[in-house]
Amino acid sequence: QVQLVESGGGLVQAGGSLRLSCAASGISFKIGAMGWYRQAPGKQRELVAIMTNGSVTDYADSVKGRFTISRDNAKITANLYMNSLKPEDTAVYYCNLRAPLGRYSSYDYWGQGIQVTVSS
């Protein structure tokens, strides 16, 4: 059974930093991209940062230059380093792991989500 466990969230003042960590277990297959998404109250879940298993990264425009994603393929972990946090970064953050099912399809696994609150 695949599990993604997030840690590191909490309350921080604007301008501060946090590191989110995601640890995957129960993996017995080749994995694809790992990433972080977030969902603020009343809004849709959105991509924050993603890294392929070839270390190619992509970031939401709103976090470029402030957030950095990293992953350890051996340990199957992913971290999100968040700097210069803003109140608008407040959201529940979800770890995502993508499992390729074939050339054109994949399955997404999700963590339970972790709250990040940035006070002004």
Side-chain angles (χ1 to χ4, degrees), residues 50-110:
I50 193 167
M51 179 180 280
T52 69
N53 51 11
S55 299
V56 176
T57 59
D58 192 21
Y59 295 89
D61 288 343
S62 60
V63 308
K64 284 180 181 176
R66 300 188 297 122
F67 291 12
T68 302
I69 187 172
S70 68
R71 64 184 279 178
D72 184 321
N73 290 331
K75 297 179 180 178
I76 316 181
T77 59
N79 292 320
L80 184 68
Y81 299 87
M82 305 185 293
N83 298 313
S84 303
L85 282 161
K86 304 175 181 180
E88 50 263 44
D89 294 318
T90 295
V92 176
Y93 284 70
Y94 296 90
C95 178
N96 170 268
L97 183 151
R98 187 154 294 167
L101 298 178
R103 188 171 183 180
Y104 302 110
S105 65
S106 61
Y107 183 83
D108 284 329
Y109 293 92
W110 295 93

Side-chain angles (χ1 to χ4, degrees), residues 2 12 14 54 66:
V2 175
V12 65
R66 300 188 297 122

